[in-house]
Amino acid sequence: MQSSNPVFRKAEGFNGRSTTYPASGMSYPAYGSQTAYDDPYRTAAPGPVTTRPAGPMTIDSVVQKTGLTLLFVVLAAAATWALTPDPRIESASSLYFLAMIGAFGGFALSLVNSFKRVISPALVLAYAVLEGLFVGAFSKVLEASFGEGIVIGAVLGTMAAVAGTLAAYKFFNIRVSPTFRKWVFAAMCGFVALALLDFVLGLFGASFGFNGFGAMGLLSSVVGLGLGVLMLILDFDYVERGIAAGLPEQESWRAAFGLTVTIIWIYIELLRILAILRGD
């Protein structure tokens, strides 16, 4: 079944289909398909000798690439936090400017990475740096506006959400259906569209509060957090399918990118929820 998630759609192995990679000329079978390896006494037909890529994608390679990508996010966020003025003392205009650059630059690179057929590690890390710029500036503004402790709370909450979702996915043996994928993807697109619409209307003084810090903002963040958890389940499923399909190790970067997008999404929604609750 083809994935409806644009992050993983370009890697056909994530969708459970056989994929041939021109760099090696080798074809990786779909998950659950019959291969010569299923029968140890069956001999494959002779053919030309090819050079195998540098190993298949594994859980270890996905964890390593995801860890490196998140490290770039954290380093960029920490640098932004440390090198910018305290908004409680000076104007926060520079922080808002950096947050806008990081948000829109990261959004543009996320589209490039999502629809790029051959994943680029450099672009994934560039996305991580821009998102770190946004996360650091946005977090510093909210910490100054709503009181200390909300950033630490959001970080711990994100770690708990990721660990809890992974535990539920494995222990309860959650299986993702095509209908579930379509509904989650449609809900995500609708959520992003409403956020962008509210942002544009806000430029003309007509915001309906979707991105704000009132009751509507709290509702949107709770819904966004739920969507983030559902997207995380999809990410785990896509990674599992890609590993089972025998994708090359480079595709670990695509998996790392998808997981990083979702983890940052969850962090931002948790940070907004804590800020709104603190403000009340």
Side-chain angles (χ1 to χ4, degrees), residues 49-85:
V49 177
T50 58
T51 302
R52 187 175 178 84
M57 183 176 78
T58 63
I59 286 292
D60 287 343
S61 67
V62 172
V63 171
Q64 290 168 5
K65 301 300 188 297
T66 303
L68 180 60
T69 306
L70 290 175
L71 177 62
F72 271 67
V73 174
V74 172
L75 290 177
T80 302
W81 187 293
L83 299 176
T84 52

Side-chain angles (χ1 to χ4, degrees), residues 67-247:
L68 180 60
T69 306
L70 290 175
L71 177 62
F72 271 67
V73 174
V74 172
L75 290 177
T80 302
W81 187 293
L83 299 176
T84 52
D86 189 339
R88 292 170 295 188
I89 301 176
E90 302 181 28
S91 172
S93 58
S94 60
L95 286 172
Y96 286 118
F97 178 70
L98 291 175
M100 294 288 288
I101 292 177
F104 285 100
F107 181 71
L109 274 186
S110 70
L111 294 178
V112 173
N113 286 324
S114 295
F115 294 100
K116 189 174 176 59
R117 186 169 186 84
V118 179
I119 193 69
S120 169
L123 289 181
V124 172
L125 295 179
Y127 164 82
V129 171
L130 286 171
E131 283 300 302
L133 186 67
F134 165 68
V135 167
F138 187 67
S139 299
K140 190 169 185 176
V141 169
L142 292 195
E143 181 96 354
S145 301
F146 295 94
E148 297 181 358
I150 62 172
V151 170
I152 295 297
V155 170
L156 294 177
T158 301
M159 294 171 62
V162 173
T165 305
L166 178 59
Y169 178 79
K170 298 302 293 184
F171 294 152
F172 294 103
N173 197 28
I174 296 176
R175 288 293 172 260
V176 177
S177 68
T179 301
F180 179 78
R181 292 191 194 97
K182 291 178 181 178
W183 279 105
V184 172
F185 182 68
M188 180 190 69
C189 289
F191 187 91
V192 172
L194 283 174
L196 290 175
L197 176 62
D198 185 62
F199 174 80
V200 173
L201 291 176
L203 298 177
F204 302 95
S207 169
F208 53 89
F210 194 84
N211 298 320
F213 293 90
M216 176 60 74
L218 179 61
L219 177 61
S220 69
S221 289
V222 171
V223 172
L225 178 60
L227 278 175
V229 171
L230 295 178
M231 289 190 295
L232 200 57
I233 292 175
L234 293 185
D235 292 342
F236 293 150
D237 177 70
Y238 294 142
V239 170
E240 193 172 47
R241 288 172 178 268
I243 293 173
L247 291 180

